């Protein structure tokens, strides 16, 4: 009897403690169940909707929000300039079928931000490296002033990664560190030589994804700065260990990759098809990132990537898939009386 009472007492204390911790946390409470899918609805025409200022990807990071349905599809969407997002302004379709969904702002708890700068330091960047460095330093200063919990890493690359073969950098990369440390590290980088026109950002991206100590509760971001196409595994040259098809499963849903590209004989701001095997921009597109272009001297306002705003204006849409397809098309319509935005995610995997 005494043992039973003692066990019961310990259990009661554990329950009370858990309730106290939960009540003091910032974890938002989602509805107990996802609403049923609407019936008899018609998907809106995309005419009149803008595809700019809306970004999204399937989010495969563990959710911190308790939802009754364990196998939900979570889609992270960002609507720059939108501070409040009523459920009534969104409609979500999976494979042309409208979905019932719950909506929550995960950034209220996932407010840590880990950023890896993937920086081309080859000879072709000589005319742009100072502008790129100054842009990174200004960006790091802005992040410091934002008050967010930010860590920044820097991965320099040429044809090789960690260490670049002909770039004398010590240490060969900077792990996720303070903004101040990142500024100091970037300050001593310079443009080296590299062997040919294409460089190796793919290995640098995958190195960052696997070697950096990303915090479990942080939003994970990469920024690629380069002026050259990428080497890839099947190009027969032997520098890169990855084709884009190898990279998508490890990146899409886990990282947001933004890009700042130096205009060159390869990167034009008029290009809309990024499917070329060496085009880094497709990684940005597939992970819901933003694509920017520097001026001819490598200057770019990385604050215009809107990373802080991206985090602050991001929501998670959760729905229950009933589609047996291997890949999916997800469409999101955001509609107000004065603002209409449309997002289409093709080839999504869960």
């Amino acid at each position: 009897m005494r043992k039973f009472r003692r066990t019961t007492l310990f259990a009661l204390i554990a329950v009370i403690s858990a309730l106290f911790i939960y009540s003091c946390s910032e974890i938002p409470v989602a509805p107990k169940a996802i609403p049923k899918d609407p019936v008899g609805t018609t998907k809106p025409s995309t005419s009149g909707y803008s595809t700019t200022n809306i970004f999204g990807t399937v989010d495969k990071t563990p959710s911190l929000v308790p939802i009754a349905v364990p196998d939900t599809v979570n889609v992270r969407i960002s609507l720059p300039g939108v501070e409040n997002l009523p459920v009534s302004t969104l409609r979500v379709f999976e494979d042309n079928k409208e979905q019932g969904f719950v909506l929550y702002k995960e950034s209220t708890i996932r407010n840590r931000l880990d950023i890896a700068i993937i920086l081309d330091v080859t000879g072709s960047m000589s005319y742009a490296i100072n502008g790129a460095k100054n842009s990174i330093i200004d960006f790091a200063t802005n992040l410091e002033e934002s008050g967010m919990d930010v860590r920044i890493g820097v991965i320099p690359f040429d044809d090789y990664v960690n260490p670049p073969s002909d770039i004398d950098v010590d240490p060969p990369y900077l792990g996720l560190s303070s903004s101040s440390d990142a500024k100091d590290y970037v300050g001593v980088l310079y443009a080296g030589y590299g062997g040919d026109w294409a460089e190796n950002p793919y290995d640098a991206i995958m190195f960052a994804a696997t070697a950096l100590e990303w915090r479990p509760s942080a939003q994970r971001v990469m920024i690629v700065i380069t002026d050259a196409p990428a080497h890839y595994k099947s190009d027969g040259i032997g520098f890169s260990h990855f084709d884009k098809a190898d990279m998508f499963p490890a990146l899409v849903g886990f990282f947001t990759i933004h890009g700042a590209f130096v205009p060159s004989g390869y990167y034009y701001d008029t290009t809309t098809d990024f499917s070329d095997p060496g085009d880094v921009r497709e990684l940005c597109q597939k992970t819901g990132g933003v694509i920017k272009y520097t001026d001819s001297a490598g200057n770019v306002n990385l604050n215009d990537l809107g990373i802080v705003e991206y985090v602050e204006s991001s929501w998670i849409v959760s729905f229950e898939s009933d589609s047996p397809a291997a890949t999916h098309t997800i469409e999101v319509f955001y509609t107000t009386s004065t603002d209409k935005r449309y997002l289409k995610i093709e080839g999504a995997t869960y």
Side-chain angles (χ1 to χ4, degrees), residues 154-166:
V154 184
I155 314 294
F157 69 90
D158 60 3
D159 286 327
Y160 300 90
V161 179
N162 188 34
S165 62
D166 53 5

Side-chain angles (χ1 to χ4, degrees), residues 56-64 70 72-77 104 106 110 216 218 220 245-256 286-287 315-318 326-328 330 345-350:
T57 183
V58 174
D59 192 320
K60 297 180 182 179
T61 56
S63 174
L64 301 180
T72 59
V73 178
N74 297 323
V75 179
R76 178 181 295 280
I77 62 169
Y104 59 93
E106 194 179 34
R110 200 179 291 275
R220 302 176 180 186
D246 305 322
M247 301 170 70
F248 291 145
L251 299 174
V252 176
F254 301 101
F255 299 90
T256 302
K286 294 289 189 181
T287 60
W315 285 266
I316 298 293
V317 171
S318 295
T327 62
H328 308 269
I330 299 171
I345 303 171
E346 296 182 283
T349 59
Y350 308 149

Side-chain angles (χ1 to χ4, degrees), residues 13-25:
I13 291 172
V15 170
I16 293 173
S17 299
L19 288 173
F20 176 79
I21 292 171
Y22 185 84
S23 66
C24 295
S25 73

Side-chain angles (χ1 to χ4, degrees), residues 332-347:
V332 178
F333 294 83
Y334 168 71
T335 310
T336 70
S337 59
T338 58
D339 192 2
K340 294 183 176 182
R341 308 184 202 182
Y342 169 70
L343 172 68
K344 186 175 187 179
I345 303 171
E346 296 182 283

